Amino acid sequence: MVGQWRNPKLVVRLVLGVLLAANLVAAGLVLFPPGGSAEDLERQLAGLQSQAMTRQATLERARQHASAVERGRAEGDQFLGEYFLGSRTASSTVLSELDAAASAAKITQREHAFSLEPIEGSNSLSMMSVTAAYTGKYADLMRFVHELDRSPRLLIIESLSAAPQQNSDVLSVSMKLNTFIREDAAREVAAR
């Protein structure tokens, strides 16, 4: 075997075969480069840049939506805290609002009745209905309604009826008001 390596023809053939194989491998790498041709890589880069821009825009829209949701939640909690009454003080707060409005309007209070109904779909909100009776002159009644309208509380007049008393310019007024109650425990959680 050692003698075969001394044969120059065999050595030259062997070297030429190795060079031919190396040339074939090099030609394959030139024609089919790993990762694709320059044009393929440029197309892939453009596609990836387009995807990145699209995803960046989607992310920015999601951030804007999240910001709007948080702002809406904060404004909703502020509204509930400002206009909805606490359950512990609701009756006394409504009575004091009605007393203040009646005193300012110079009408006479007769009686009040309260009823509380839960609001469907909410664990912490209820609606309080107040039925009240008053006597007074027409101008005083208008001022009373105006005072209720200006109240910082959310008092909604559902119905109002007025009937004149016999041989007098005094009206008997019956009205139904609604206001909304928020459970105090829910208010404390929302304040956190």
Side-chain angles (χ1 to χ4, degrees):
M1 279 238 266
V2 175
Q4 290 178 347
W5 290 111
R6 289 191 182 158
N7 184 356
K9 286 185 180 182
L10 182 62
V11 171
V12 169
R13 282 185 190 162
L14 186 60
V15 169
L16 285 176
V18 169
L19 288 175
L20 179 65
N23 280 339
L24 288 174
V25 169
L29 288 174
V30 167
L31 292 175
F32 306 104
S37 66
E39 294 85 23
D40 290 340
L41 291 175
E42 286 179 19
R43 277 192 299 261
Q44 286 178 357
L45 178 62
L48 290 174
Q49 286 175 338
S50 173
Q51 284 180 358
M53 288 173 53
T54 302
R55 289 185 178 161
Q56 185 68 28
T58 302
L59 177 63
E60 186 58 34
R61 280 193 308 273
R63 283 183 181 152
Q64 289 173 352
H65 290 293
S67 173
V69 166
E70 286 301 318
R71 188 176 44 241
R73 180 176 292 131
E75 289 174 2
D77 288 344
Q78 179 186 359
F79 177 82
L80 289 175
E82 189 173 333
Y83 293 108
F84 282 42
L85 303 172
S87 61
R88 294 181 187 183
T89 60
S91 299
S92 62
T93 303
V94 169
L95 274 178
S96 66
E97 289 287 327
L98 292 174
D99 288 345
S103 295
K106 298 177 185 151
I107 64 172
T108 307
Q109 297 182 43
R110 290 197 338 231
E111 66 262 354
H112 296 95
F114 296 92
S115 67
L116 198 62
E117 299 173 25
I119 294 177
E120 190 173 326
S122 174
N123 295 345
S124 63
L125 300 177
S126 302
M127 184 174 73
M128 177 187 284
S129 295
V130 181
T131 305
Y134 297 93
T135 57
K137 296 183 180 185
Y138 179 78
D140 297 335
L141 173 62
M142 290 291 98
R143 182 155 185 222
F144 177 70
V145 170
H146 179 70
E147 290 292 326
L148 288 178
D149 188 42
R150 290 184 40 219
S151 169
R153 308 287 176 229
L154 185 61
L155 296 172
I156 302 166
I157 299 174
E158 182 178 312
S159 64
L160 183 132
S161 62
Q165 293 182 354
Q166 282 188 329
N167 302 327
S168 171
D169 61 348
V170 175
L171 299 172
S172 292
V173 179
S174 175
M175 63 184 338
K176 183 175 180 184
L177 296 124
N178 294 324
T179 190
F180 296 94
I181 309 298
R182 183 175 185 174
E183 296 297 323
D184 292 328
R187 179 176 290 190
E188 291 171 10
V189 170
R192 291 180 196 168

